[in-house]
Amino acid sequence: MSIRKNYTFTSESVGEGHPDKVCDQISDAILDAALTNDPESRVGCECFASTGMVLVGGEITTNSYIDIIQTVKNTLMKIGYDSPEYGIDYKNCAVLSVINEQSADISQGVTEGKGLHKEQGAGDQGMMFGFACKDTPEFMPAPIYYSHEIMKQASKVRHEKILDFLRPDSKCQVSVEYRDGKPFRIPAVVLSHQHDDYVNGRKISYEEIREGLIEEIVKKALPSHLIDDNTIYHMNPTGRFVIGGPQGDAGLTGRKIIVDTYGGAAAHGGGAFSGKDPSKVDRSAAYMARYIAKNIVAADIADKCEVELAYAIGVADPVSVYVNTYNTGKVDDELIEKAVWENFSLTPSGIIKTLNLKRPIYTPTAAYGHFGRSEFPWENINMVDALKKQLL
């Protein structure tokens, strides 16, 4: 079956003030607090947010002291939930904590020398995917990459009060038209951003909101060569977005996994990332799979690459490694798979060591995607030479 070259694909992103992303950021802030003084912390932290309250639950085993209440409030403050009018604010919200220790049955499987197998095993069974392509210099699919760029620009505009009527909640989606397999133009952009009704007694009109969102956010976030006179802008398409955040829609950790990864352009194994320490392969193996796929594409071995890693709980080595280059590889996919086995350490401990994951680096991942951002170690392309030497 031939691969389509001409099509339109859409992905979405959400802003830091989206209720689900609020919960992701709280969960990862608690993870970072644990790792700060105890790199061996075992954390599986979930969060639920609704009007005026945040519930934190899960399993944490750590020698660190974590001030759950202050961590929640600091996260809300940084996002910008600082007014009772928003339905939740850092000064007055209730914080409930129901944290337990990690199950001893799971712990023995992920602690070296404690389980059936001598080496540190995977924290759960499952399959994780990584992906890379040549749509952007960051080797990310264009629709999700540009969706994140809009959300980052929206945050800048809000925090700097360039548009003084914006509230924290927001989401967007970008449609990209491909021709001959490459991004050609953006036919449509959808952006919904929470806003005030009044600022200093002045009624904010829909026309002012629409113009501000287009001119200060969308057009400044997107490459000018991809938008044209026929690009359609759906700005706050319901006409009003005053009630939002956890008041408008309850938030939950791990509900934006496609936003976190590749916007639907590649497979996702199903496990969420935020609130999980790196012994959990849901997170760490997804980072390794991205690292592998990106190095394969950066080495020009393929124009597009998807990598699957699959694990059994308590077992160190993956049960399978799968590479799919969508018929863009310069060598057979089977040969690339062999090179992956030989050049990358795929055990949980090997992944953690390779990417140096026992550090408090996770809070920034919880908004604007986990991939395509150079500050994260899984974005390094330091395996290019080794892969080229073996395969090209």
Side-chain angles (χ1 to χ4, degrees):
M1 184 174 66
S2 62
I3 297 174
R4 289 185 64 184
K5 297 286 188 178
N6 302 316
Y7 57 93
T8 299
F9 193 83
T10 302
S11 295
E12 76 159 349
S13 181
V14 300
E16 62 184 351
H18 185 282
D20 295 329
K21 276 289 142 207
V22 170
C23 292
D24 284 344
Q25 289 166 89
I26 291 171
S27 292
D28 272 338
I30 291 170
L31 168 63
D32 280 348
L35 292 173
T36 296
N37 294 315
D38 183 4
E40 302 303 322
S41 295
R42 296 286 165 73
V43 179
C45 179
E46 312 291 344
C47 178
F48 168 81
S50 189
T51 305
M53 63 86 66
V54 172
L55 171 66
V56 179
E59 300 78 42
I60 298 178
T61 300
T62 182
N63 291 320
S64 289
Y65 170 72
I66 306 171
D67 189 333
I68 299 288
I69 293 175
Q70 198 57 49
T71 301
V72 170
K73 289 179 176 288
N74 287 346
T75 303
L76 290 172
M77 179 182 66
K78 289 176 183 177
I79 293 169
Y81 280 105
D82 54 10
S83 169
E85 293 183 13
Y86 299 162
I88 189 170
D89 70 287
Y90 76 94
K91 294 179 182 178
N92 301 301
C93 72
V95 180
L96 292 77
S97 175
V98 283
I99 298 291
N100 298 303
E101 287 193 358
Q102 184 185 53
S103 159
D105 294 346
I106 295 175
S107 180
Q108 74 173 15
V110 296
T111 301
E112 187 173 351
K114 290 289 184 71
L116 288 177
H117 304 273
K118 182 179 179 181
E119 205 172 349
Q120 176 182 342
D124 200 354
Q125 70 177 49
M127 65 283 190
M128 280 54 68
F129 290 89
F131 181 78
C133 64
K134 291 187 175 180
D135 283 7
T136 66
E138 294 76 16
F139 299 99
M140 285 292 288
I144 187 64
Y145 180 79
Y146 294 130
S147 294
H148 290 324
E149 290 298 292
I150 289 175
M151 289 291 83
K152 285 189 275 188
Q153 176 65 14
S155 177
K156 178 177 184 291
V157 165
R158 176 171 60 88
H159 283 291
E160 295 180 2
K161 298 190 181 302
I162 296 169
L163 298 177
D164 60 0
F165 51 79
L166 295 183
R167 291 184 175 185
D169 196 359
S170 59
K171 65 192 307 183
C172 77
Q173 63 184 40
V174 175
S175 301
V176 175
E177 179 184 341
Y178 287 78
R179 293 195 183 175
D180 196 26
K182 298 178 181 179
F184 177 73
R185 62 182 292 268
I186 294 174
V189 179
V190 182
L191 174 58
S192 296
H193 208 302
Q194 188 186 16
H195 60 89
D196 288 327
D197 249 343
Y198 294 85
V199 174
N200 297 325
R202 179 175 62 86
K203 174 71 173 178
I204 306 299
S205 69
Y206 174 76
E207 290 72 22
E208 182 179 354
I209 294 169
R210 174 181 168 81
E211 181 181 3
L213 296 182
I214 293 173
E215 298 300 326
E216 294 295 337
I217 297 177
V218 175
K219 287 188 175 179
K220 290 187 177 179
L222 298 180
S224 58
H225 70 278
L226 291 179
I227 55 178
D228 54 39
D229 292 341
N230 294 317
T231 298
I232 298 170
Y233 301 99
H234 293 291
M235 303 291 104
N236 280 12
T238 68
R240 175 182 165 87
F241 186 9
V242 174
I243 299 172
Q247 181 185 27
D249 186 10
L252 193 66
T253 299
R255 257 198 326 209
K256 286 291 175 283
I257 58 176
I258 301 305
V259 172
D260 287 341
T261 54
Y262 308 101
H268 186 100
F273 301 154
S274 290
K276 296 178 180 178
D277 75 85
S279 74
K280 296 168 177 62
V281 287
D282 274 351
R283 183 170 215 158
S284 56
Y287 292 165
M288 177 57 88
R290 162 64 178 176
Y291 176 59
I292 294 167
K294 184 175 181 181
N295 274 272
I296 289 169
V297 175
D300 206 27
I301 294 166
D303 293 336
K304 183 187 292 189
C305 181
E306 183 175 87
V307 174
E308 183 200 42
L309 305 176
Y311 292 85
I313 187 169
V315 179
D317 288 320
V319 297
S320 69
V321 173
Y322 171 73
V323 172
N324 180 7
T325 63
Y326 301 89
N327 295 325
T328 69
K330 293 185 176 178
V331 297
D332 290 342
D333 289 354
E334 292 86 349
L335 294 176
I336 301 175
E337 285 175 7
K338 183 174 183 292
V340 169
W341 278 107
E342 293 176 358
N343 287 276
F344 296 90
S345 181
L346 303 177
T347 64
S349 61
I351 292 171
I352 289 168
K353 182 178 179 181
T354 298
L355 301 179
N356 194 13
L357 295 180
K358 290 184 179 181
R359 298 176 292 146
I361 60 172
Y362 297 102
T363 303
T365 69
Y368 316 118
H370 293 243
F371 306 119
R373 300 165 61 185
S374 60
E375 64 264 36
F376 301 136
W378 48 89
E379 295 297 316
N380 290 335
I381 50 174
N382 52 359
M383 293 299 291
V384 165
D385 290 342
L387 290 171
K388 280 184 174 181
K389 183 177 181 180
Q390 182 165 345
L391 293 170
L392 297 181

